[in-house]
Amino acid sequence: MRIEVDTGRCCGAGMCALTAPAVFDQDEEAGTVLLLTPEPLASQFAAVQEAAQLCPAGAITILEDKA
Ligand code: SF4
């Protein structure tokens, strides 16, 4: 799994960092999302998926590996 974030769409709601803090953080100055882990472990998938669904800006894209 790979993740992309669109900081241009991010409105700084912070839902991602609350939901999956190992993967997302927020820039302290800009308030926008920081992607800590672009290629999370499978064990983090559920939290990442939840974060993507909760993001009000639709700024998180999950790209699943084609096995
Ligand atoms: S939940 Fe979405 S809008 Fe909010 S900080 Fe994360 S990426 Fe940005």
Side-chain angles (χ1 to χ4, degrees):
M1 170 188 26
R2 215 156 46 76
I3 306 176
E4 286 180 357
V5 293
D6 184 344
T7 50
R9 292 178 74 160
C10 174
C11 63
M15 290 307 297
C16 54
L18 286 174
T19 308
V23 179
F24 304 102
D25 198 359
Q26 262 182 294
D27 187 285
E28 285 189 19
E29 285 184 15
T32 49
V33 62
L34 287 174
L35 186 56
L36 300 177
T37 312
E39 296 188 29
L41 302 172
S43 60
Q44 296 172 310
F45 182 77
V48 169
Q49 200 171 36
E50 192 183 346
Q53 284 168 359
L54 288 173
C55 174
I60 300 170
T61 305
I62 299 173
L63 305 163
E64 295 190 47
D65 297 326
K66 295 190 182 93

